[in-house]
Amino acid sequence: MQDDMSGREVLRFAPSPNGWLHLGHAYSALFAFDMARRLGGRLLLRIEDIDVGRCREEYVEGIYEDLAWLGIEWETPVRRQSEHFSDYEAALRKLRDMGLVYPCFATRKEVNDAILASGIPLQAWPSDPDGAPLYPGICKDMPKARLNELMWEGRSYAWRLDMEKAMREAVRINGGPITFREDGESLRGDTGLLSIEPELFGDVVIARKDVPTSYHLAVTVDDALQGVTLVTRGQDLFPATYIHRILQVLLGLPAPRYHHHGLIRDDTGRRLSKSAKDMGLKELRAKGTTPAGIRRIVSLD
């Protein structure tokens, strides 16, 4: 599918401003920029700042500065997720009206305690593709009256997607199995027309009481509202496509194509991350590295 207004492909680079950009971000941004130019398409920049507690304005400015230094051009205005919570609330409300989400008041400790109470060690309990233990369903069958009572008490909660019900409804709406087109490949080499496996995530969190969205819901809504036709991102996010595709079907949103690319790793094979304080573009620039040098480092020269 192509952008209806211009007939051109629409791609995006969507960083979170909770740290400085590193080589992995440079690779992903340059990959999207080069792909957009090759296809004669448009490149959007989106600031994914729903985590208002960790995101900082200096990191937003750093993103603009680093990308401009790399020679990347993007369209304006830039969409900032923190300015569009009403869009995500509307999508959540639709899922609530469909009876596909429920509030979960369980803390991480209560989830772990419930798993241990089952007699299965935490390390033996199944985990989702992100490595988190699958939700054991603590609040799933709680009486509605009790759920309402807890909400009125002001308890913190998350909105979870009832995956079993959601899959049934999505398949009904879609008229059959749900697939997506992968132009790149997953870590295990999956490519082409693929079926989704959102059940691997269990009853995934798609919003919270204090933040009416999650990465999964916000990305799905934004890609549709911005007319994104080709999503390029790292292979670590490949499994997230399962969640995004089921949400697209449930919310009646268009399905883009996907191209998951390889990850930039250090000498030990570990992928770069902000949390590990890997060398950032800011530091590399200060040491005299050029944009052309960055391209050589990430093998895009």
Side-chain angles (χ1 to χ4, degrees):
M1 186 181 69
Q2 293 181 315
D3 176 23
D4 292 335
M5 295 180 62
S6 66
R8 299 163 64 195
E9 296 281 7
V10 181
L11 294 83
R12 46 74 161 181
F13 175 59
S16 296
N18 53 16
W20 304 110
L21 297 189
H22 54 62
L23 285 173
H25 296 114
Y27 178 78
S28 192
L30 288 166
F31 187 95
F33 178 59
D34 290 353
M35 180 75 76
R37 287 198 302 181
R38 188 159 57 249
L39 297 174
R42 301 162 50 205
L43 178 66
L44 310 180
L45 173 62
R46 182 165 72 224
I47 302 298
E48 299 195 338
D49 56 351
I50 59 173
D51 188 350
V52 294
R54 295 177 60 207
C55 295
R56 289 158 48 181
E57 198 60 33
E58 64 182 302
Y59 294 144
V60 176
E61 294 304 317
I63 288 170
Y64 296 151
E65 184 177 327
D66 285 338
L67 296 183
W69 175 72
L70 286 171
I72 293 173
E73 300 174 353
W74 61 89
E75 294 187 5
T76 56
V78 173
R79 182 177 175 90
R80 296 185 59 159
Q81 291 182 332
S82 61
E83 300 172 351
H84 298 279
F85 281 126
S86 60
D87 291 332
Y88 316 133
E89 288 178 307
L92 177 61
R93 187 161 53 248
K94 182 173 182 177
L95 295 173
R96 289 179 61 185
D97 291 344
M98 296 170 74
L100 299 178
V101 296
Y102 61 90
C104 171
F105 298 86
T107 64
R108 184 174 301 177
K109 182 180 184 302
E110 289 170 334
V111 168
N112 289 341
D113 288 346
I115 293 172
L116 292 172
S118 71
I120 301 176
L122 277 176
Q123 59 269 27
W125 187 266
S127 59
D128 68 21
D130 294 328
L134 286 183
Y135 176 63
I138 300 173
C139 299
K140 190 169 186 176
D141 298 318
M142 187 178 289
K144 188 173 182 180
R146 178 55 179 159
L147 290 174
N148 290 335
E149 182 180 321
L150 290 171
M151 293 179 77
W152 279 109
E153 288 178 2
R155 289 272 300 273
S156 294
Y157 59 86
W159 288 103
R160 289 185 178 273
L161 185 67
D162 187 325
M163 190 58 72
E164 187 176 350
K165 289 176 63 176
M167 274 296 290
R168 285 200 303 268
E169 180 63 11
V171 169
R172 184 194 68 77
I173 293 172
N174 199 56
I178 301 165
T179 59
F180 65 97
R181 172 64 62 179
E182 175 60 55
D183 292 343
E185 63 178 16
S186 70
L187 284 168
R188 66 185 186 188
D190 302 304
T191 190
L193 188 64
L194 305 173
S195 297
I196 66 170
E197 303 176 69
E199 64 276 6
L200 295 177
F201 286 88
D203 289 0
V204 67
V205 171
I206 60 166
R208 298 186 183 279
K209 174 188 175 183
D210 53 342
V211 180
T213 188
S214 64
Y215 163 73
H216 295 301
L217 185 61
V219 164
T220 301
V221 170
D222 285 347
D223 283 343
L225 288 178
Q226 294 189 284
V228 173
T229 62
L230 176 59
V231 173
T232 62
R233 58 191 182 194
Q235 290 173 325
D236 54 324
L237 290 172
F238 176 88
T241 311
Y242 301 151
I243 303 298
H244 303 168
R245 278 296 291 127
I246 191 173
L247 289 175
Q248 287 161 2
V249 173
L250 293 172
L251 296 170
L253 304 177
R257 302 191 325 282
Y258 293 86
H259 189 128
H260 292 89
H261 56 68
L263 305 173
I264 301 299
R265 301 180 183 274
D266 65 15
D267 294 338
T268 68
R270 177 182 59 84
R271 72 181 182 89
L272 303 185
S273 68
K274 293 173 184 172
S275 61
K277 303 188 186 308
D278 293 292
M279 187 175 291
L281 298 183
K282 187 176 182 181
E283 289 82 2
L284 289 168
R285 187 164 69 248
K287 290 181 178 182
T289 306
T290 65
I294 296 294
R295 280 187 170 273
R296 284 192 296 273
I297 292 172
V298 300
S299 301
L300 281 176
D301 56 352

